[in-house]
Amino acid sequence: MVIKASNVVVEYTGGLKGLNNASLEIMEKKVTCLMGPNASGKTTLLRALARLVGYKGSILIDGREVSKTPLTVLSRILSYGSQQTISTSIQLRVREVLEMALYPLKNIDVEEAIYNTSIELGITGLLDRYINELSSGELQKIVIASVLIKKPRYILLDEPDAHIDTGFKPVLSKTLRKRSRSSTIIIATHDPIFASYTCDYIVVLRSGSIVFHGWLNELMENLDVLREVYGVEFMVAEIPGGMRIIIPYY
Ligand SMILES: Nc1ncnc2c1ncn2[C@@H]1O[C@H](COP(=O)(O)OP(=O)(O)OP(=O)(O)O)[C@@H](O)[C@H]1O
């Protein structure tokens, strides 16, 4: 285990708890999915791991307390991306955004890094576009690219599968699976089908508390967890090829 969170509490102004005594362990070189309804604390947990929000309790990454680790040190090993992390209020081209995303890494061949990540995600056609002129799905791909380009040891992505079309989901899923050979990946997602294709380990949150954590096949044996938190039914379906996926029905 490389990340260990113990009794983490995040309290926002007004006393609202974004996380309430959350404890979990994240395994190295696996894809862990955070699931749970709106406002359950997924983003708060990712932001606490990335030291973007203060917390009580303990979060150890590689044995270091996150709150005491300088951001310059943390940003060398961990990269967090969400649609909020890229400002569309300034006029920058995509390649400039990707170049900036490499900070604070040194001795990098910037052009090669941009080229490789663009090929990986099929976004070479977007490199010279202005960031504030992209569609939501195009912007999402740039958010993902700006995290992957650093090849960080820890990849944190908040709803990377939001806004993207059905054809890109397998590309993203395969990319994350491939990257998990060398990185530890934590994503938040609302889509149990995408989670089934992508994740090894699942953490389910409700009202700031962790109500389930286990391997994907363990969640498949405990679909009541999902039914209780989302209030809809779920089933496991076997698709051609024999793979099993979780699907909601209502
Ligand atoms: N900056 C903030 N100030 C005050 N309250 C906040 C802030 N950010 C989040 N919250 C509150 O904390 C709780 C958890 O929010 P969070 O964004 O972590 O949930 P989430 O599971 O990611 O939700 P969603 O699926 O809707 O994105 C919510 O009640 C939210 O309103």
Side-chain angles (χ1 to χ4, degrees), residues 14 27 36 42 48 54 57 62 66-67 90 95 139-140 158 177 179 183-184 203 224 230 234 245-246:
M27 265 83 55
K42 303 178 296 297
D62 292 346
V66 166
S67 60
I90 36 175
R95 63 170 72 249
L139 183 62
Q140 183 66 277
D158 199 351
R177 298 261 5 119
R179 284 300 190 106
S183 298
T184 299
V203 176
D224 282 357
Y230 287 107
F234 289 83
I245 55 172
I246 301 173

Short mmCIF file of all heavy atoms in Angstrom, two decimals, residues 14 27 36 42 48 54 57 62 66-67 90 95 139-140 158 177 179 183-184 203 224 230 234 245-246:
data_model
loop_
_atom_site.label_atom_id
_atom_site.label_comp_id
_atom_site.label_asym_id
_atom_site.label_seq_id
_atom_site.Cartn_x
_atom_site.Cartn_y
_atom_site.Cartn_z
N GLY A 14 -18.68 27.04 7.50
CA GLY A 14 -20.10 26.80 7.75
C GLY A 14 -20.31 25.47 8.47
O GLY A 14 -21.42 25.13 8.85
N MET A 27 -3.67 0.81 -3.13
CA MET A 27 -2.59 -0.07 -3.56
C MET A 27 -1.80 0.49 -4.73
O MET A 27 -2.36 1.13 -5.62
CB MET A 27 -3.16 -1.44 -3.97
CG MET A 27 -3.12 -2.46 -2.87
SD MET A 27 -4.50 -2.32 -1.76
CE MET A 27 -5.88 -2.42 -2.83
N GLY A 36 -19.95 7.13 -5.79
CA GLY A 36 -20.85 7.66 -4.78
C GLY A 36 -21.67 8.78 -5.37
O GLY A 36 -21.25 9.41 -6.35
N LYS A 42 -16.25 12.68 -3.11
CA LYS A 42 -15.22 12.15 -4.02
C LYS A 42 -14.17 13.22 -4.35
O LYS A 42 -12.97 12.99 -4.24
CB LYS A 42 -15.87 11.62 -5.32
CG LYS A 42 -16.94 10.56 -5.08
CD LYS A 42 -17.58 10.10 -6.38
CE LYS A 42 -18.36 11.17 -7.12
NZ LYS A 42 -19.53 11.70 -6.38
N ALA A 48 -7.96 16.44 -1.07
CA ALA A 48 -7.18 16.26 0.17
C ALA A 48 -5.89 15.50 -0.13
O ALA A 48 -4.81 15.85 0.36
CB ALA A 48 -8.02 15.53 1.22
N GLY A 54 -7.36 21.60 3.16
CA GLY A 54 -6.83 21.21 4.46
C GLY A 54 -7.65 20.07 5.06
O GLY A 54 -8.83 19.91 4.74
N GLY A 57 -6.63 14.56 10.68
CA GLY A 57 -6.33 13.14 10.51
C GLY A 57 -5.00 13.00 9.79
O GLY A 57 -4.17 13.92 9.86
N ASP A 62 3.65 7.56 0.23
CA ASP A 62 5.04 7.07 0.35
C ASP A 62 5.59 7.36 1.75
O ASP A 62 6.77 7.72 1.90
CB ASP A 62 5.95 7.74 -0.70
CG ASP A 62 5.61 7.32 -2.11
OD1 ASP A 62 4.87 6.33 -2.27
OD2 ASP A 62 6.08 7.99 -3.05
N VAL A 66 0.93 14.28 3.82
CA VAL A 66 0.67 15.17 2.69
C VAL A 66 0.65 16.64 3.12
O VAL A 66 1.23 17.51 2.46
CB VAL A 66 -0.67 14.79 2.01
CG1 VAL A 66 -1.17 15.87 1.07
CG2 VAL A 66 -0.51 13.48 1.25
N SER A 67 0.01 16.94 4.27
CA SER A 67 -0.13 18.33 4.69
C SER A 67 1.21 18.97 5.03
O SER A 67 1.33 20.19 5.07
CB SER A 67 -1.08 18.43 5.90
OG SER A 67 -0.56 17.68 6.97
N ILE A 90 -8.04 32.57 -19.78
CA ILE A 90 -6.93 33.18 -20.50
C ILE A 90 -6.75 32.48 -21.84
O ILE A 90 -7.00 31.28 -21.96
CB ILE A 90 -5.60 33.12 -19.69
CG1 ILE A 90 -5.51 31.83 -18.89
CG2 ILE A 90 -5.41 34.34 -18.83
CD1 ILE A 90 -4.21 31.67 -18.18
N ARG A 95 -1.04 23.47 -26.77
CA ARG A 95 0.34 23.05 -26.56
C ARG A 95 1.01 23.87 -25.44
O ARG A 95 1.87 23.35 -24.71
CB ARG A 95 1.16 23.07 -27.85
CG ARG A 95 1.36 24.39 -28.50
CD ARG A 95 2.39 24.28 -29.64
NE ARG A 95 1.90 23.57 -30.81
CZ ARG A 95 2.35 22.37 -31.18
NH1 ARG A 95 3.27 21.73 -30.49
NH2 ARG A 95 1.88 21.79 -32.27
N LEU A 139 -12.05 19.75 -24.05
CA LEU A 139 -11.37 20.29 -22.86
C LEU A 139 -11.03 19.16 -21.88
O LEU A 139 -9.94 19.12 -21.30
CB LEU A 139 -12.25 21.35 -22.19
CG LEU A 139 -11.63 22.06 -20.98
CD1 LEU A 139 -10.38 22.82 -21.37
CD2 LEU A 139 -12.65 23.01 -20.35
N GLN A 140 -11.97 18.22 -21.74
CA GLN A 140 -11.72 17.10 -20.83
C GLN A 140 -10.48 16.32 -21.26
O GLN A 140 -9.67 15.91 -20.44
CB GLN A 140 -12.96 16.18 -20.82
CG GLN A 140 -12.87 15.03 -19.86
CD GLN A 140 -12.84 15.48 -18.41
OE1 GLN A 140 -11.79 15.83 -17.87
NE2 GLN A 140 -13.98 15.50 -17.77
N ASP A 158 -10.42 13.67 -11.57
CA ASP A 158 -11.80 13.82 -11.11
C ASP A 158 -12.74 13.71 -12.31
O ASP A 158 -12.74 14.57 -13.19
CB ASP A 158 -11.97 15.18 -10.42
CG ASP A 158 -13.21 15.20 -9.54
OD1 ASP A 158 -14.01 14.25 -9.60
OD2 ASP A 158 -13.37 16.18 -8.78
N ARG A 177 -5.52 1.88 -17.93
CA ARG A 177 -5.07 0.52 -17.57
C ARG A 177 -3.57 0.38 -17.89
O ARG A 177 -2.81 -0.14 -17.10
CB ARG A 177 -5.86 -0.55 -18.34
CG ARG A 177 -7.33 -0.55 -18.04
CD ARG A 177 -7.80 -1.59 -17.03
NE ARG A 177 -6.82 -2.36 -16.40
CZ ARG A 177 -6.62 -2.39 -15.07
NH1 ARG A 177 -7.34 -1.62 -14.27
NH2 ARG A 177 -5.73 -3.16 -14.55
N ARG A 179 -1.37 2.84 -18.22
CA ARG A 179 -0.57 3.70 -17.32
C ARG A 179 -0.44 3.10 -15.92
O ARG A 179 0.49 3.42 -15.19
CB ARG A 179 -1.21 5.08 -17.24
CG ARG A 179 -0.99 5.96 -18.46
CD ARG A 179 0.49 6.21 -18.69
NE ARG A 179 0.69 7.23 -19.70
CZ ARG A 179 1.09 8.47 -19.44
NH1 ARG A 179 1.34 8.85 -18.22
NH2 ARG A 179 1.26 9.32 -20.43
N SER A 183 2.05 3.64 -12.83
CA SER A 183 1.53 4.68 -11.92
C SER A 183 0.40 4.13 -11.07
O SER A 183 -0.28 3.19 -11.47
CB SER A 183 0.98 5.87 -12.72
OG SER A 183 1.97 6.49 -13.47
N THR A 184 0.22 4.74 -9.93
CA THR A 184 -0.93 4.44 -9.07
C THR A 184 -2.01 5.46 -9.43
O THR A 184 -1.76 6.66 -9.43
CB THR A 184 -0.52 4.57 -7.59
OG1 THR A 184 0.52 3.62 -7.35
CG2 THR A 184 -1.68 4.33 -6.65
N VAL A 203 -13.91 2.31 -4.20
CA VAL A 203 -14.24 2.93 -2.91
C VAL A 203 -15.58 3.63 -3.10
O VAL A 203 -15.73 4.43 -4.03
CB VAL A 203 -13.15 3.95 -2.50
CG1 VAL A 203 -13.54 4.66 -1.20
CG2 VAL A 203 -11.79 3.26 -2.35
N ASP A 224 -25.85 -4.47 -3.34
CA ASP A 224 -26.71 -3.73 -2.41
C ASP A 224 -26.08 -2.39 -2.02
O ASP A 224 -26.78 -1.42 -1.78
CB ASP A 224 -26.91 -4.53 -1.11
CG ASP A 224 -27.93 -5.64 -1.33
OD1 ASP A 224 -28.48 -5.71 -2.44
OD2 ASP A 224 -28.15 -6.42 -0.38
N TYR A 230 -27.28 4.88 -4.30
CA TYR A 230 -27.85 5.58 -5.45
C TYR A 230 -29.38 5.50 -5.52
O TYR A 230 -30.00 6.27 -6.25
CB TYR A 230 -27.28 5.03 -6.76
CG TYR A 230 -25.84 5.42 -7.03
CD1 TYR A 230 -24.81 4.50 -6.91
CD2 TYR A 230 -25.52 6.72 -7.42
CE1 TYR A 230 -23.49 4.85 -7.17
CE2 TYR A 230 -24.21 7.08 -7.67
CZ TYR A 230 -23.20 6.15 -7.55
OH TYR A 230 -21.90 6.51 -7.81
N PHE A 234 -29.04 -2.33 -9.59
CA PHE A 234 -27.85 -2.63 -10.41
C PHE A 234 -27.81 -4.13 -10.69
O PHE A 234 -28.32 -4.93 -9.91
CB PHE A 234 -26.56 -2.24 -9.66
CG PHE A 234 -26.37 -0.77 -9.55
CD1 PHE A 234 -27.00 -0.04 -8.54
CD2 PHE A 234 -25.58 -0.08 -10.46
CE1 PHE A 234 -26.85 1.33 -8.45
CE2 PHE A 234 -25.41 1.29 -10.37
CZ PHE A 234 -26.05 2.00 -9.35
N ILE A 245 -19.71 -6.68 -16.39
CA ILE A 245 -19.81 -5.25 -16.09
C ILE A 245 -21.04 -4.97 -15.23
O ILE A 245 -22.02 -5.69 -15.28
CB ILE A 245 -19.86 -4.36 -17.37
CG1 ILE A 245 -21.00 -4.80 -18.29
CG2 ILE A 245 -18.55 -4.36 -18.11
CD1 ILE A 245 -21.22 -3.85 -19.45
N ILE A 246 -20.93 -3.91 -14.43
CA ILE A 246 -22.04 -3.51 -13.58
C ILE A 246 -22.88 -2.48 -14.33
O ILE A 246 -22.33 -1.48 -14.82
CB ILE A 246 -21.53 -2.87 -12.27
CG1 ILE A 246 -20.66 -3.87 -11.49
CG2 ILE A 246 -22.70 -2.41 -11.39
CD1 ILE A 246 -19.98 -3.27 -10.27
#
